[in-house]
Amino acid sequence: MENDQVLLEVKGLQKFFPIRKGFWQRAVGQVRAVDGLNFHIYKGETFGIVGESGCGKTTASRCIVRALQPSAGEIHFRVDDGEMTDIANLSRDELQPLRRHMQMIFQDPFSSLNPRMTLFDIIGEPLLVNGVTDRQQRVERVEELLALVGLRPEFLQRFPHAFSGGQRQRIGIARALALNPSLIVADEPVSALDVSVQAQILNLLLELQERLGLTYLFVAHDLSVVKHICDRVAVMYVGRVVETAETQQLFESPKHPYTEALLSAVPLPDPTLRSQRIILEGEVADPANPPSGCYFHPRCRYAVDLCRERTPELEEVAPGHAVSCHRALELDLAGTLNAPVPQTAHS
C-alpha cells in the first residue's frame, strides 16, 4: 500500500519502568516492558499484536493511545488534514484535540464501566467532555450508538450491573465509538467473555469496521481469535516484535521458532487430527534482566552460538513478512493451516 494509507506508524517505541528499593526508593534497575517496537497500521485494516502474558503488548497499546508516557520512540498518527503527527511527546493540552481520533476498548467489561453511572452517563461522557453540552443531542447520539451495537435505546437509564458480560462489552464499544474515531485499540476485548459470546463480539467489531471504516489495533493472546479478525499480525516476546506478516502467511509459514510454538498450541477443529504441541522449556526471559543475544535463545530448540552472542534485527524475508531470527531462512517451521488431511477407514 501507499504511504498515504498508513494511519499509524510506530518507530523504536520503548517503555521502561524503574525498579526502586530501599527507604529512599532509589532506582536500582528497570523493567524493559516495551523494548524497541516498529510497525505500521494501514487505514481500514485490523492489525493484531499477540504473545504470552507479560510480553508487553498491553503496555505498548496504552503507550500508543498515550495512556502511558513512552520512555522513547516515535508514534506517528495521521490526523484529519492528512499530515502525520508524532504524538509520543505531545503535552496534555496538545494531545487533547487528537484523543477523539483514538479510542480504547478495555479487556474487562466489568471493571471498565463505572457502576454508579447510567448508560447515558457512560456513553455520553466523551461527548460532554468534547463540547456537546446540549443534553438532547447527547441522548439522541447515545440512543443511536446503543442501536449500533445491538442494545435497546430503552436501556439508557440502566446501570452496568443490570447487564451480562457480553452486553457490558457492547457498552464499552459504544463508548469508544461516541466520537467517531479513526483508530480503535482493542485490548483483549473478548478474553473475559464466554466462548459463545466471543464470536458475537468479534462479528460485531467486523460489522462496525465495514460500516464505519474503522481501523483496529487488536491485542490478544488467543491465536484462533487473531486468525478470525486480523489482516496482519505482529508476534511479541519480552517487549520486542519477533515476527510480523499477513495473518494467513503467518499461520501457514511461520519463520520464528516462538511463533511456531504458539501456533502448535492452537486447537485443530478436526478431532481426528492431533497437533504436535511444542512445549517450551524454561521460563520467559526476565525483562528486568534479559539474556544476551536473542531474548528467546534460552528456550529455543534451534539456538546456536550466534543466537547467544548477537541480537537479531527485524528483517524482511519475504514481501510483507519480517522476522527477528538469525536462522529464519534455513529453518522449515510448521504452521497450522498445512496440517495433514485426516485419513478415513475407506482411504
Side-chain angles (χ1 to χ4, degrees), residues 280-318:
L280 294 176
E281 302 294 336
E283 299 294 330
V284 178
D286 182 1
N289 185 28
S292 60
C294 174
Y295 285 1
F296 185 62
H297 86 256
R299 308 175 74 194
C300 181
R301 57 181 177 169
Y302 307 108
V304 295
D305 290 341
L306 179 62
C307 304
R308 302 177 183 91
E309 297 166 0
R310 200 174 76 194
T311 303
E313 299 292 332
L314 189 67
E315 297 178 344
E316 194 169 63
V317 295

Side-chain angles (χ1 to χ4, degrees), residues 232-253:
R232 291 188 301 127
V233 183
V235 180
M236 280 188 70
Y237 184 76
V238 193
R240 294 181 173 178
V241 170
V242 297
E243 186 168 5
T244 179
E246 291 186 2
T247 304
Q248 183 171 351
Q249 187 177 23
L250 186 84
F251 275 72
E252 287 180 345
S253 180

Side-chain angles (χ1 to χ4, degrees), residues 8 64 66 75-77 85-90 95 98 102:
L8 180 79
I64 287 169
R66 283 295 307 276
I75 306 169
H76 295 277
F77 182 72
T85 301
D86 184 6
I87 65 173
N89 296 301
L90 294 182
L95 196 61
L98 299 177
M102 300 179 294

